[in-house]
Amino acid sequence: EAQVTQNPRYLITVTGKKLTVTCSQNMNHEYMSWYRQDPGLGLRQIYYSMNVEVTDKGDVPEGYKVSRKEKRNFPLILESPSPNQTSLYFCASRRSTGVGGNQPQHFGDGTRLSIL
Amino acid sequence: AQTVTQSQPEMSVQEAETVTLSCTYDTSESNYYLFWYKQPPSRQMILVIRQEAYKQQNATENRFSVNFQKAAKSFSLKISDSQLGDTAMYFCAFIVSGTYKYIFGTGTRLKVLA
């Protein structure tokens, strides 16, 4: 089954304790992206990756890191989490980096992150 | 900078009725793509419909259709014969052709009443 898998689905942690949210897709998609969803703000793009070893900032990259060492994986790293990073996070992937947008994004089921 | 505006934070509709969700956007580009996503309480993000800006014909998917007005920069979603399963948050989204950054609206929470 074609899917984007995020782990964990829920996490409660404390300020300053490094954490990683994993994202894996089995569709051989070149493009992957991370979003955060906050009430009243919709989804905002954190980082995206056009292919292996190629990443770029979205609209809200501060406090986050990403890496794309393999095509299928795109982890989101919070090296020193703070309460303002409490949010619902989504990973997404899409076929083709050629013409932007003509292929639909496939989303993971989301990660609810609470930082105390 | 591109922006997407959904001016209706919440809406409700009676089952079997028709409802229209509004979305406006701002861009100086001429080639772009527009999307409507549905997020039910399960929080999955589900693509409802998409529209290529170069196509004048409005996209339709079963009970879902759009009214795309390029000059007005408007992209509304019409849901016909509303069903209880249509209860969800709906997001409008936009991307310029050839780029990689998606812009989402703030969402409209739709409740279908029995």
Side-chain angles (χ1 to χ4, degrees), chain B residues 90-107:
Chain B
Y90 287 82
F91 291 102
C92 179
F94 166 95
I95 185 169
V96 173
S97 179
T99 70
Y100 305 101
K101 293 179 77 169
Y102 288 84
I103 308 296
F104 281 77
T106 53

Side-chain angles (χ1 to χ4, degrees), chain B residues 9-20:
Chain B
E10 292 186 355
M11 296 186 73
S12 62
V13 62
Q14 289 294 135
E15 201 175 4
E17 296 292 308
T18 295
V19 64
T20 299

Side-chain angles (χ1 to χ4, degrees), chain A residues 47-59:
Chain A
Y47 270 96
Y48 58 90
S49 169
M50 295 79 90
N51 214 323
V52 175
E53 301 291 3
V54 184
T55 63
D56 204 352
K57 297 176 181 178
D59 289 326

Side-chain angles (χ1 to χ4, degrees), chain B:
Chain B
Q2 284 87 13
T3 58
V4 174
T5 301
Q6 293 180 250
S7 58
Q8 305 150 315
E10 292 186 355
M11 296 186 73
S12 62
V13 62
Q14 289 294 135
E15 201 175 4
E17 296 292 308
T18 295
V19 64
T20 299
L21 281 57
S22 69
C23 173
T24 58
Y25 57 94
D26 189 27
T27 183
S28 57
E29 303 289 336
S30 58
N31 293 324
Y32 48 85
Y33 299 85
L34 295 155
F35 308 86
W36 279 99
Y37 283 92
K38 170 185 177 182
Q39 187 180 47
S42 64
R43 82 185 190 202
Q44 288 178 295
M45 290 289 290
I46 303 164
L47 178 67
V48 175
I49 201 164
R50 62 179 165 172
Q51 174 82 40
E52 293 91 339
Y54 63 86
K55 288 188 178 179
Q56 291 190 332
Q57 188 174 8
N58 289 326
T60 62
E61 287 288 343
N62 301 313
R63 298 182 295 107
F64 298 88
S65 61
V66 298
N67 183 6
F68 174 49
Q69 302 285 331
K70 192 171 184 179
K73 296 180 183 175
S74 171
F75 182 61
S76 60
L77 175 69
K78 185 171 85 170
I79 305 174
S80 304
D81 185 26
S82 296
Q83 300 175 359
L84 296 177
D86 296 333
T87 292
M89 179 75 90
Y90 287 82
F91 291 102
C92 179
F94 166 95
I95 185 169
V96 173
S97 179
T99 70
Y100 305 101
K101 293 179 77 169
Y102 288 84
I103 308 296
F104 281 77
T106 53
T108 295
R109 188 175 300 281
L110 177 68
K111 189 169 186 179
V112 180
L113 307 171

Side-chain angles (χ1 to χ4, degrees), chain A residues 66-99:
Chain A
V66 293
S67 68
R68 187 92 182 273
K69 294 185 171 61
E70 306 165 282
K71 199 171 188 179
R72 64 183 292 126
N73 296 324
F74 189 45
L76 180 70
I77 302 157
L78 286 72
E79 295 216 322
S80 184
S82 62
N84 64 11
Q85 293 177 298
T86 291
S87 187
L88 176 61
Y89 290 86
F90 285 98
C91 180
S93 72
R94 190 191 85 202
R95 188 167 66 87
S96 175
T97 59
V99 178

Side-chain angles (χ1 to χ4, degrees), chain A residues 11-19 36 38 60-64 77-89 112-116:
Chain A
L11 179 63
I12 301 174
T13 187
V14 296
T15 299
K17 186 176 180 183
K18 181 179 178 179
L19 67 92
R36 61 177 290 174
D38 301 290
V60 288
E62 295 79 17
Y64 304 95
I77 302 157
L78 286 72
E79 295 216 322
S80 184
S82 62
N84 64 11
Q85 293 177 298
T86 291
S87 187
L88 176 61
Y89 290 86
R112 174 73 68 185
L113 198 55
S114 295
I115 300 165
L116 306 176

